[in-house]
Amino acid sequence: MKSFTNLFGCFKRNPRQEAAAPADQSTAGASSMGAVASGMPPPKRPAPTDSPGPPIENNVDAPGTPLKDALKQANSAKVAVFFTGTEEEKQIHEIQAILNALKDDPNVENPVEVPEIQKIQVSGFSKKAIQHLTLHNSWPLIYIKGNAVGGLKELQTLKQDYLKEWLRDHTYDLIVIGGGSGGLAAAKEAARLGKKVACLDFVKPSPIGTTWGLGGTCVNVGCIPKKLMHQASLLGHSIHDAQKFGWKLPEGKVEHKWGHLRDSVQDHIASLNWGYRVQLREKTVTYINSYGEFTGPFEISATNKKKKVEKITADRFLIATGLRPKYPDIPGVKEYTITSDDLFQLPYPPGKTLCVGASYVSLECAGFLHGMGFDVTVIVRSILLRGFDQDMAERIRKHMIAYGMKFEAGVPTRIEQIEEKTDEKPGKYRVYWPKKNEETGEMQDVSEEYNTILMAIGREAVTDDVGLTTIGVERAKNKKVIGRREQSTTIPWVYAIGDVLEGTPELTPVAIQAGRVLMRRIFDGANELTEYDQIPTTVFTPLEYGCCGLSEEDAFMKYGKDNIIIYHNVFNPLEYTISERMDKDHCYLKLICLRNEEEKVVGFHILTPNAGEITQGFGIALKLAAKKADFDRLIGIHPTVAESFTTLTLEKKDGDEELQASGC
């Protein structure tokens, strides 16, 4: 009889791979529109998992403190140094000498106390594990107040006044700047571990004055209201489908009431806002509704809405301020347009709407607005869903066009107001953009009138007003914090999670996981990292797109086209047969596999109703390195669309004719 490992090969777990982002300070690492489930393009830099996994410690005859105990000691000590042998004693003496030089004259008020170094000897295996955990290769490795600093060289680069201030006592163990999903998760976890925590949250109004409560982008202006409005759109279709299934509807036109939906959504969000405040109080986290800015290496100036400033200090800081929408530099854009920050509180029905941008935010909003009966056009500069699988993006475009939406190619150059908006009705605006004349081939200005213009061209980490430059936190060109894991590369007591951390997916669950794991690592000495690879995601377009792993383009680039085999098919959901939904012609799925690794599945993609629910379940298969054969021997649930993944036999090849779906 085969062993369990042989029988269930896909469940053989490899050693854990290495782990694991502000205009306003409430987004706290939450992603923008599709935070809870929507997908984001992969990070521009290689994912953290490209490096080898952590070594497994060998405790047989290994000298030194066991890894688990060593990490806990380093986290609880004021100053600790990991070392492996006596040959490193000289460097440890040099480290102690640098610290001793910080001592104040005994007559100085509140002199700094320089502690003796706690020396922690570890084995060679533990050394590799600690270096993997911290991404610090310097050795001996210094920890100050539980923060990995690096070696002697890194200690010498720190400003002496910064180092001296670091050794002093501060009001809080941790200050979190940003009260969104990631920031709240981190604050509560740190408090659970017995730390004194403050969480600052303040929303700067959008250009048209929209603001919101505690909870960040996801809860207030992202995935939660988006998913509810997506559901409202789907229910509109279900009403029409019901007649095909024998339901008799009242006579007259079925209409959607925007105001009723908006109020219901905002009531639900308000209940969540209140719940977060209660949770912080129960966890003994100090909630401060003020805008935080560094005015010293360990000092935050918190300014409330009355412009009153309070100064607070901490040993560590977590930046979890998230993103806000970008605006193009064209006349009238901030006066006459809205973003996803404003849409869900819009006091009037949006009317004829132009969605600007090819992002998932743009497509999701366009989809649910059209589903509620509004005339919607999407204008894009080039491709849809940059960073996602482009075969799937094109299928989404074709479906949305068949669904009744219009697509224009171009970039708006100016916006003019024709009628001013009121609290009861939208305004009217003329939007201009260059378009190629199909007869002459020349570019010419065209224009169209719209009631609402939604800007969705991307989001940016507005970290300029947080004072990061003041203390020397290194940022990328996109203003995100450059990190060694989640730790700033230049200021070791500053951390970042979620959308403001360079190179990580902009997703709410990522920020939540990263926040909790980071707190356990820096406060409890946990040998634990957030895994940023193979994250299942979904774009909530009218026909939902779920994916996990690599796109075709990325798979070809990483492994070579000849080493990739793609299994695909189309399908017809049973629910769409009687109702004769047009969507049935657009449902599609595929698995991207490696030929030379027993057809290991490296990409999972599906365009279907309820894609989020399906993708979340199958995501575990990719995390456990499933092969195509594992999908084949899984018995499907009938009749479901997900069972199609258990019967894939068609290989996708260049030049193949379009597939045609059939029933069961």
Side-chain angles (χ1 to χ4, degrees), residues 313-465:
T313 63
D315 289 337
R316 288 184 179 94
F317 301 87
L318 178 64
I319 311 301
T321 43
L323 314 175
R324 291 290 287 270
K326 292 180 182 177
Y327 289 87
D329 186 17
I330 61 174
V333 67
K334 290 191 176 180
E335 295 88 345
Y336 306 135
T337 72
I338 66 169
T339 68
S340 55
D341 282 357
D342 311 297
L343 178 61
F344 305 109
Q345 294 185 44
L346 213 59
Y348 47 76
K352 184 179 178 181
T353 302
L354 176 67
C355 294
V356 182
S359 65
Y360 68 94
V361 176
S362 179
L363 299 183
E364 289 177 337
C365 292
F368 69 67
L369 289 175
H370 180 76
M372 294 176 196
F374 299 110
D375 182 350
V376 179
T377 300
V378 181
I379 185 168
V380 300
R381 180 180 59 185
S382 54
I383 62 173
L384 302 187
L385 298 174
R386 186 176 301 276
F388 287 93
D389 187 285
Q390 284 304 294
D391 169 38
M392 302 303 290
E394 178 59 18
R395 291 176 182 276
I396 290 171
R397 186 186 70 83
K398 289 179 178 179
H399 173 260
M400 293 180 75
I401 291 173
Y403 187 46
M405 280 173 276
K406 298 180 285 292
F407 280 79
E408 291 282 356
V411 177
T413 54
R414 73 180 191 273
I415 303 166
E416 296 176 353
Q417 179 177 262
I418 299 171
E419 294 180 11
E420 191 174 356
K421 66 184 178 183
T422 69
D423 289 341
E424 289 75 35
K425 68 182 185 68
K428 185 179 289 186
Y429 311 94
R430 180 167 292 277
V431 182
Y432 296 82
W433 68 91
K435 187 174 183 178
K436 189 175 183 179
N437 187 305
E438 294 183 1
E439 295 181 359
T440 66
E442 296 179 352
M443 298 300 291
Q444 60 185 39
D445 264 2
V446 296
S447 66
E448 182 66 54
E449 292 181 4
Y450 298 96
N451 299 116
T452 297
I453 305 160
L454 177 74
M455 283 290 163
I457 61 171
R459 300 171 68 82
E460 62 182 354
V462 188
T463 52
D464 292 343
D465 299 332

Side-chain angles (χ1 to χ4, degrees), residues 127-258:
K127 173 184 175 180
K128 291 179 181 179
I130 293 167
Q131 288 177 326
H132 175 82
L133 193 69
T134 63
L135 290 186
H136 278 289
N137 291 322
S138 301
W139 200 262
L141 181 61
I142 307 162
Y143 267 57
I144 297 180
K145 290 188 173 180
N147 305 281
V149 175
L152 181 60
K153 180 181 177 181
E154 286 78 15
L155 183 67
Q156 290 169 334
T157 61
L158 283 175
K159 294 180 180 179
Q160 281 217 340
D161 53 340
Y162 279 19
L163 191 53
K164 181 181 288 189
E165 181 59 32
W166 199 0
L167 294 174
R168 297 187 190 278
D169 293 332
H170 300 108
T171 308
Y172 293 98
D173 296 305
L174 173 73
I175 291 178
V176 178
I177 305 178
S181 302
L184 291 175
K188 290 184 287 186
E189 185 69 3
R192 184 187 70 81
L193 294 169
K195 301 304 176 182
K196 187 176 180 181
V197 183
C199 180
L200 279 70
D201 183 75
F202 188 90
V203 180
K204 286 188 175 181
S206 72
I208 70 166
T210 308
T211 187
W212 51 86
L214 181 63
T217 295
C218 171
V219 168
N220 293 282
V221 293
C223 40
I224 297 300
K226 179 277 307 288
K227 182 72 181 293
L228 292 172
M229 291 200 173
H230 174 64
Q231 176 65 11
S233 173
L234 297 179
L235 287 173
H237 287 287
S238 297
I239 292 171
H240 296 292
D241 292 349
Q243 297 177 82
K244 297 282 187 177
F245 283 88
W247 288 94
K248 184 177 180 180
L249 301 180
E251 297 294 330
K253 185 179 179 181
V254 177
E255 293 182 332
H256 181 267
K257 293 189 178 297
W258 171 265

